[in-house]
């Protein structure tokens, strides 16, 4: 090791030093932004991303709508079922923004036209405030009356879990997303959906 | 004549080049010197001015792991938990990027000094990021996010899969939190791993398995009905099995006290003989020249009962043993570097005379500094205590340094089954904790939702 180093001439060392300082100066400049379609798969770190969220919500909703509970409910009640999205717990090892996942779910469900949807607990709070305000300030013909809310028939709940197997540079990540649709009146589970995603991630051991 | 003129010119150009490059290095003070003021402010309890220093340091190096870790801890002390998590998360992400070894940095380290290698923290420091982020998320009322941090620390420890790199306090804390989360199985696993971790790493921190942890493991094994394992540990610990029902009906106080300051890595310069050069060379390496003070456990008074805390983490010992493990590689690199530098000085003397040699010597002397970077805002030790509480109001009196008059009184109000986490940091017996008296605790109802009030 030492003998290798001693063969380096000082000129070479100096030019290396200059080169490296030049590198330090040049690497800092320029951010490059490229726009991509929101359906493009962009796997950067291997973490849960928008692609996973969209994939899961789409498949889950396809599944939930193809099951008999919708038609059974329509037959017995003569109307479309009303659903509310409850909590989707993040039990994974990543900080996943479950809100974007929930809004993906809501969008797919509403746009299907098969079911009615009611606002979530936090949204309801704001709406009630507004109605109170209308009661005081809005013209009577335009007021939205209180006490006319539609109660939900079902609640959608779920969780995101992960199993990570890791050794040195290699990682296998297994995501399991569980969703359950529960009858609000009877606590009966009418549908259970499950989606699994598996990824392997390899980290490089050298960089420039 | 003309020949010596051109040589003179050459040496002048070289001199200019060297001066320019030294400017790039932003002076050659060691990191210990650069952060000394921040540490002094922190030690005397001036958290705001320490925070200002840390912000300044981050401006100079926004992607610095050490800068972000320090900023994160200081934001915590200012009770800005969101900003703290942001900084710590940034540190975490940069560490992930730095996973691969950089060829150019390693080469640079051989030519200039070890600070050219991007700092990614020692392994115990990387795990403690998750510890503090979990505590921050508890403060922010995000129990599931705190759980994410526990899992991430597990992934990290599994990735290394080296028993010596385990961080027992992280395992123990995970057990406590899993219990709060209503996952007794995960809690039992964590307590068991914590016991193993204390044993496997004892040479690093000198701690044996805390008595409270032993009780916690026995209690959860018994609650899980794992009788075979319970019998083994009962015999091993020589303890009776604590009653599990006590924790179900009563409330519980979980006390996490952080004390002191982790030791600062400092530069140690020594001279050694190089056979290759037949000359004396000057070498600078990091070290911990001073022993840390011994901090006695804290005294806790609750109604008429007096308790003492147990040390759950000796960060001081972790820091010292971590450097010990690396010091031979660091020293080898420093010696190799000293040889290269001496060689270049001699070559300079041959080619461009004494002026060039002196210039290069000055540059080499200035650029040769030890890598004293470390997460130097960490405490010296972490203490944990758990006590069952009757529901109702309690007055808690803490004396972190029992031999001094320093004390904090905290009034807590608990409902049946609730857990109260009191987490305080004192940086010295002269400083105040980060909260004023009577503030600063988290009330948690196990199995969510989480309730916090101040």
């Amino acid at each position: 090791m030492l003998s290798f180093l001693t063969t380096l001439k000082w000129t070479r060392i100096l030019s290396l030093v200059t080169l490296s300082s030049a590198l330090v100066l040049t690497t800092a400049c320029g951010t490059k932004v490229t726009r991509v379609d929101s359906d493009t798969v962009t796997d950067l770190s291997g973490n849960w991303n928008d692609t996973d969220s969209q994939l899961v919500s789409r498949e889950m909703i396809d599944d939930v709508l193809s099951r008999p509970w919708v038609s059974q409910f329509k037959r017995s009640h003569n109307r479309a079922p009303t659903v509310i999205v409850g909590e989707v717990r993040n039990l994974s090892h990543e900080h996943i923004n479950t809100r974007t996942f929930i809004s993906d779910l809501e969008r797919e469900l509403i746009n299907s036209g098969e079911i009615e949807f009611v606002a979530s607990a936090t949204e309801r709070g704001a709406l009630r405030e507004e109605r109170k305000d209308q009661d005081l300030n809005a013209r009577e013909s335009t007021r939205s009356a209180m006490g006319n809310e539609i109660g939900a028939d079902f609640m959608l709940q779920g969780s995101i879990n992960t199993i990570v197997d890791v050794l040195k540079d290699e990682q296998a990540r297994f995501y399991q997303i569980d969703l359950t649709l529960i009858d609000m009146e009877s606590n009966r589970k009418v549908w259970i959906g499950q989606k699994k995603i598996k990824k392997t991630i390899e980290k490089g051991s050298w960089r420039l | 004549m003309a020949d010596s003129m051109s040589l003179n010119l050459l040496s002048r150009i070289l001199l200019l080049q060297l001066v320019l490059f030294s400017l790039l290095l932003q002076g050659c003070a060691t990191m210990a010197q650069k952060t000394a003021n921040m540490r002094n402010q922190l030690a005397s309890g001036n958290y705001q001015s320490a925070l200002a220093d840390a912000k300044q340091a981050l401006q100079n190096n926004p992607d610095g792991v050490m800068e972000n870790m320090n900023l994160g801890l200081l934001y915590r002390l200012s009770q800005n938990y969101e900003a703290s998590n942001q900084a710590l998360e940034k540190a975490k992400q940069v560490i992930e990027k730095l996973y691969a070894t950089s060829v150019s940095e390693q080469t640079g380290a051989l030519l200039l000094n070890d600070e050219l290698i991007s700092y990614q923290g020692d392994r115990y420091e990387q795990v403690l990021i998750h510890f503090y982020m979990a505590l921050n998320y508890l403060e922010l009322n995000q129990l599931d996010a705190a759980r994410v941090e526990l899992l991430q620390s597990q992934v990290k420890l599994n990735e290394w899969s080296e028993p010596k790199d385990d961080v027992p306090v992280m395992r123990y804390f995970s057990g406590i939190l899993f219990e709060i989360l209503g996952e007794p199985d995960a809690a039992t696993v964590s307590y068991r791993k914590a016991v193993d971790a204390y044993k496997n790493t004892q040479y690093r921190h000198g701690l044996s398995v805390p008595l409270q942890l032993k009780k916690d493991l026995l209690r959860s094994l018994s609650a899980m009905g794992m009788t075979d394992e319970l019998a083994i540990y009962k015999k091993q610990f020589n303890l009776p099995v604590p009653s599990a029902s006590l924790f179900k009906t009563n409330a519980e106080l979980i006390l996490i006290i952080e004390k002191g300051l982790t030791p600062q890595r400092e530069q140690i310069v020594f001279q050694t003989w190089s056979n290759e050069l037949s000359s004396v060379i000057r070498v600078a390496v990091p070290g911990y020249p001073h022993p840390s003070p011994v901090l006695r456990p804290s005294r806790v008074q609750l109604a008429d009962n007096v308790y003492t805390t147990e040390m759950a983490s000796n960060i001081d010992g972790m820091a010292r043993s971590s450097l010990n493990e690396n010091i031979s590689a660091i020293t080898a690199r420093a010696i190799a570097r000293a040889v290269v530098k001496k060689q270049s000085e001699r070559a300079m003397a041959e080619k461009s005379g004494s002026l060039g040699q002196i210039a290069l010597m000055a540059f080499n002397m200035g650029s040769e500094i030890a890598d004293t970077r470390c997460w130097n805002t960490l405490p010296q030790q972490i203490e944990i205590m758990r006590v069952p509480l009757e529901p109702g109001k309690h007055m808690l009196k803490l004396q972190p340094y029992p031999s001094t008059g320093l004390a904090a009184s905290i009034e807590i109000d608990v409902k049946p089954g609730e857990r109260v986490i009191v987490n305080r940091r004192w940086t010295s017996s002269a400083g105040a904790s980060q909260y004023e008296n009577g503030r600063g605790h988290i009330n948690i109802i196990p199995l969510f939702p989480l309730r916090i009030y101040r």
Side-chain angles (χ1 to χ4, degrees), chain A residues 87, chain B residues 134-146 177 180-181 418-421 441-453:
Chain A
E87 198 187 10
Chain B
L135 278 171
N136 282 343
Y137 279 120
L138 287 183
E139 296 275 2
L140 291 168
N141 200 4
Q142 298 176 28
L143 210 48
D144 277 348
L177 212 53
I180 290 172
L181 281 155
E418 212 171 37
R419 312 274 162 119
V420 187
I421 296 184
H441 57 281
I442 319 167
N443 273 38
I444 302 173
I445 306 161
L447 297 172
F448 32 88
L450 177 86
R451 188 163 66 87
I452 298 186
Y453 67 84

Side-chain angles (χ1 to χ4, degrees), chain B residues 69-193:
Chain B
M69 292 196 300
N70 279 337
L71 189 67
L73 259 198
L74 290 166
Y75 267 131
R76 239 183 89 66
L77 289 176
S78 319
Q79 294 162 63
N80 189 346
Y81 303 108
E82 268 152 12
S84 172
N85 270 350
Q86 248 171 35
L88 293 174
E89 184 67 41
K90 171 84 188 179
K92 216 198 280 174
Q93 282 168 9
V94 179
I95 289 169
E96 201 55 36
K97 275 191 203 147
L98 295 175
Y99 176 84
T101 314
S102 162
V103 184
S104 60
E105 285 176 8
Q106 293 290 332
T107 319
L110 274 177
L111 297 174
L112 272 175
N113 61 53
D114 273 6
E115 280 197 9
L116 282 191
I117 302 174
S118 294
Y119 180 77
Q120 41 183 316
D122 285 336
R123 287 188 165 181
Y124 76 95
E125 292 175 335
Q126 293 187 6
V127 173
L128 285 176
I129 292 179
H130 299 291
F131 177 76
Y132 284 113
M133 283 189 75
L135 278 171
N136 282 343
Y137 279 120
L138 287 183
E139 296 275 2
L140 291 168
N141 200 4
Q142 298 176 28
L143 210 48
D144 277 348
R147 189 183 184 277
V148 168
E149 292 302 324
L150 306 185
L151 298 191
Q152 285 187 355
S153 75
Q154 287 177 2
V155 170
K156 195 139 243 178
L157 291 167
N158 288 346
E159 183 181 312
W160 300 328
S161 56
E162 301 240 26
K164 72 173 179 62
D165 289 325
D166 215 326
V167 180
V169 74
M170 189 72 222
R171 299 279 193 190
Y172 188 16
F173 180 66
S174 303
I176 296 173
L177 212 53
F178 276 128
E179 217 177 314
I180 290 172
L181 281 155
E183 299 174 48
D185 44 350
T188 311
V189 174
S190 291
Y191 287 145
R192 194 195 292 131
K193 290 212 169 192

Side-chain angles (χ1 to χ4, degrees), chain A residues 67-79 81 154 188 190:
Chain A
R67 301 292 170 177
W69 69 275
V70 188
S71 52
Q72 275 170 10
F73 185 90
K74 279 184 177 163
R75 221 177 304 130
S76 60
H77 289 74
N78 265 332
R79 62 175 173 85
F154 299 95
R188 194 165 47 96
V190 295

Side-chain angles (χ1 to χ4, degrees), chain A residues 10 18 89 95 169 207-208, chain B residues 17 99-100 102 104 144 149 347:
Chain A
W10 63 274
T18 321
R89 278 191 75 194
H95 289 290
D169 301 346
R207 67 193 155 89
L208 190 71
Chain B
Q17 204 175 14
Y99 176 84
S102 162
S104 60
D144 277 348
E149 292 302 324

